[in-house]
Amino acid sequence: MNFFTKKMQWNNLEFIPFKLCVASIYLWVGIHFHDYLSSYSHLLLAVFAVSVLVTMYLWIQKMRSKD
């Protein structure tokens, strides 16, 4: 079962955790270059971790439903 060769349809509601995941890690990386957002470092890392877990869960569920 290769994760990267399967094609799946995602609706907008299911795509939100992925967008949140990508946005939070970009902001977390950007924090190291700007002191204004440094107080939100732990919050953004937590949002990233939760959104990665949700995205992976949705992805695996979709792959199982296709089989």
Side-chain angles (χ1 to χ4, degrees):
M1 181 164 70
N2 192 349
F3 290 118
F4 300 111
T5 59
K6 291 208 171 201
K7 296 193 185 224
M8 292 173 276
Q9 296 293 325
W10 289 74
N11 64 29
N12 287 336
L13 186 61
E14 293 172 334
F15 205 56
I16 289 173
F18 177 71
K19 289 180 180 180
L20 193 60
C21 171
V22 171
S24 61
I25 197 63
Y26 279 152
L27 284 174
W28 185 76
V29 168
I31 283 171
H32 297 288
F33 301 106
H34 199 281
D35 292 332
Y36 177 71
L37 295 173
S38 64
S39 61
Y40 300 109
S41 176
H42 298 293
L43 175 66
L44 288 171
L45 194 56
V47 168
F48 171 70
V50 169
S51 61
V52 163
L53 292 175
V54 170
T55 302
M56 293 305 295
Y57 174 77
L58 290 172
W59 187 12
I60 290 169
Q61 290 293 66
K62 281 189 140 322
M63 286 180 55
R64 285 184 181 163
S65 69
K66 295 284 184 182
D67 291 341

